């Protein structure tokens, strides 16, 4: 799993460089589809990891100390499936706008909760990506979350401009 995130970063950078170099036709046709696949794939991966261990995910949610335990348990059971289905919506472009809106809202809530926890002095490890992200520091999590949010917002801004949505 340690190789997953550097490889993902290289893929994202390579995709961005290719998009800058190639023609507008390529960008309009393929680049945004690749971004759809990457963002959808990230949420499907994160959802599957959390769905396999809902108890650990409930503990991860409870570490933020913002919700009661019974709410954390319910979120730990349902939230991974929501991420998986919304990621599939991005990949298959079925209910695309709704899936993208939900994923954008989820990442915004998570960024807000992470910043609030850090401001309160809580030293938490996010369980978003399972054991692969347990040793990341706050700034690594924040940068990754902001990159995902940026990609989701750009995709959301393009929804109204494309013929298929």
């Amino acid at each position: 799993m340690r190789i997953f995130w550097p490889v993902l970063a290289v893929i994202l950078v390579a995709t961005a460089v290719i998009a800058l170099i190639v023609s507008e036709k390529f960008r309009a046709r393929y680049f945004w589809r690749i971004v759809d696949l990457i963002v959808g794939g990230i949420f499907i991966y994160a959802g599957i990891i959390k769905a396999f261990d809902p108890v650990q995910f409930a503990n991860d949610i409870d570490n933020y100390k913002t919700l009661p335990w019974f709410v954390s348990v319910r979120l730990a059971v349902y939230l991974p499936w929501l991420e998986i289905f919304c990621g599939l919506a991005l990949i298959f472009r079925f209910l695309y706008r709704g899936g993208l809106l939900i994923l954008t809202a989820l990442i915004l809530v998570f960024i807000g909760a992470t910043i609030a926890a850090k401001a309160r002095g809580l030293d938490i490890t996010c369980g978003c990506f399972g054991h692969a992200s347990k040793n990341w520091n706050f700034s690594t999590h924040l940068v990754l979350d902001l990159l995902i949010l940026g990609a989701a917002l750009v995709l959301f801004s393009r929804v109204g401009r494309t013929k298929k949505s």
Side-chain angles (χ1 to χ4, degrees):
M1 286 313 291
R2 290 183 182 175
I3 197 158
F4 176 76
W5 296 110
V7 169
L8 179 64
V10 168
I11 291 170
L12 288 172
V13 170
T15 305
V17 169
I18 289 169
L20 292 173
I21 294 172
V22 298
S23 69
E24 178 66 31
K25 184 178 179 181
F26 175 85
R27 281 194 299 249
R29 197 165 206 189
Y30 300 108
F31 177 72
W32 299 113
R33 189 68 188 125
I34 292 169
V35 175
D36 279 338
L37 294 172
I38 291 171
V39 173
I42 288 171
F43 279 98
I44 290 169
Y45 173 77
I48 288 172
I49 286 176
K50 291 182 259 191
F52 279 137
D53 194 1
V55 174
Q56 180 59 46
F57 184 46
N59 286 327
D60 291 338
I61 293 171
D62 191 52
N63 287 339
Y64 285 88
K65 304 296 182 211
T66 56
L67 300 170
W69 173 249
F70 71 93
V71 175
S72 297
V73 171
R74 285 171 178 78
L75 280 176
V77 171
Y78 295 112
L79 197 59
W81 295 104
L82 181 65
E83 290 179 351
I84 292 168
F85 291 134
C86 289
L88 289 171
L90 261 63
I91 289 175
F92 292 112
R93 299 193 63 83
F94 180 71
L95 301 174
Y96 182 83
R97 289 181 185 186
L100 187 57
L101 179 65
I102 290 169
L103 291 179
T104 305
L106 286 176
I107 196 74
L108 279 170
V109 168
F110 177 71
I111 290 172
T114 303
I115 291 172
K118 185 67 174 176
R120 289 182 293 150
L122 297 176
D123 187 21
I124 55 172
T125 57
C126 153
C128 297
F129 300 107
H131 298 293
S133 62
K134 288 291 184 187
N135 296 322
W136 293 355
N137 59 16
F138 172 74
S139 58
T140 305
H141 277 289
L142 190 61
V143 166
L144 181 63
D145 294 335
L146 289 173
L147 286 173
I148 296 169
L149 175 65
L153 289 174
V154 169
L155 289 174
F156 204 80
S157 71
R158 295 190 45 80
V159 168
R161 292 187 275 167
T162 59
K163 292 177 188 173
K164 286 172 118 180
S165 56

